[in-house]
Amino acid sequence: MTTGALSHLKVLDLSRVLAGPWATQILADLGADVVKVERPGAGDDTRAWGPPWLADGDGNPTSESAYYLSCNRNKRSVAIDMATSEGQDLIRRLAADVDIVVENFKFGGLKAYGLDYDTLKAINPALIYCSITGFGQTGPRAAQPGYDLLIQAMGGLMSVTGVPDGEPGAGPQRIGVALIDVMTGLYATIGVLAAVAHRDRTGEGQSIDIALMDVSVAALANLAMNYLVSGKSPVRMGNAHPNVVPYQDFATADGAIIVAVGNDGQFARYWQLLGLEPDPRLKTNAGRIRYRAETIGPIKEKMLERTTAEWMVAIEAVGVPCGPINDFAAVFADPQVVARGLRRDLDHPQGGTSPMVASPVNLSATPPTYRTAPPLLGQDTLAVLGEVLGLDRAALDTLAAKGVI
């Protein structure tokens, strides 16, 4: 048992891959009891998305992929075949005992199994039911499947990500992480917690409709407003910023560095550090945007005179944000990352330990907990069905013999 902020909540996780499991892992980290339902024999699709595979205590590869491990800790795995009527009945009985269901099947996909919101609401009127799909529960694309790459393209993010036209390597690019899935998981979590707060006041459950496409458009943030206000579509600018100058990468004598000037005072100190003559046209950010080439050109020349490490010391000394472009090894070796405990290691059922990336949600009274590594497929089937549904060993053996569990 846990005393986390959400330890009073029970979650039935019918999701797989990333967006849904990301949301339920957040809930689990905060103390919720999350039961993950998976297909017998196969489980979550991402279990097979390797290499790399986790190594056991002897250094031999296990059956657990790094992808699956990224978003399934603190959960219990129950293997149930929802294609069978008995499996559907088991899941409905589990849903009757929970506060929240999270699913990411195609639009209408669970209705045929009697596991849709209307059916489960009749069993559990206070249920909070979160559906995650590519395009949502309404609109002309509702029935179409959606994947992160597709949504990054259709939702506009790829149009502003990548090298500008006319430069070597120009063209739209996907973001290196499946960021739409991750952000969808975050929005789903926010929606679930809002629904919990509403239920606490009224006793009413509700359904939540989260779409990857909606999240992608919402994530356009200031660029969306730039377009809506001006009527002009933003273009790819590489690592430059459409609204702030200078705010980008610069080559140094031995590599590259990011300089992120956030206000006019910082710019004045940075320009002086570089030894450049004052230019009244560049005093304000609006002027620097207008005269972007006149701002960036001299900076590029000066930045080549010292190494990244030398510039880091000098630029930080005048109070201007800057930093290296780290690979993952440098990220996890960074003293700040180490001090914040962003790597955790949990004992794994197949021996050895599983590395984890910690939750960034640092609550003072009820911090996230790291109780169990991501479970093996069906690891908790007998325990959960016995505990929650009261099935005895004979009944469980019968279900297993039929292939239902």
Side-chain angles (χ1 to χ4, degrees), residues 22-24 26-27 30 130 184-194:
W22 196 262
T24 53
I26 294 171
L27 299 173
L30 296 174
C130 180
T184 298
L186 295 175
Y187 274 106
T189 304
I190 293 168
V192 164
L193 295 180

Side-chain angles (χ1 to χ4, degrees), residues 63-149:
S63 60
E64 303 298 273
S65 74
Y67 198 119
Y68 165 75
L69 294 172
S70 72
C71 52
N72 286 290
R73 66 170 169 254
N74 290 331
K75 304 178 186 180
R76 296 189 284 174
S77 172
V78 174
I80 300 176
D81 185 357
M82 69 169 58
T84 66
S85 59
E86 289 169 292
Q88 295 158 18
D89 180 64
L90 290 174
I91 296 172
R92 282 191 289 269
R93 292 172 64 185
L94 289 172
D97 186 59
V98 302
D99 301 281
I100 301 154
V101 168
V102 177
E103 61 92 4
N104 61 352
F105 283 75
K106 289 188 296 184
F107 168 71
L110 288 180
K111 188 174 182 64
Y113 299 121
L115 299 173
D116 56 299
Y117 173 63
D118 289 337
T119 301
L120 297 187
K121 177 184 177 182
I123 300 169
N124 183 353
L127 183 66
I128 295 165
Y129 188 103
C130 180
S131 294
I132 299 172
T133 59
F135 296 97
Q137 303 294 310
T138 59
R141 295 189 185 275
Q144 296 179 11
Y147 295 92
D148 183 277
L149 174 61

Side-chain angles (χ1 to χ4, degrees), residues 265-277:
Q266 289 178 0
F267 175 75
R269 296 193 300 275
Y270 178 49
W271 194 255
Q272 183 179 24
L273 171 67
L274 295 174
L276 295 168
E277 291 295 324

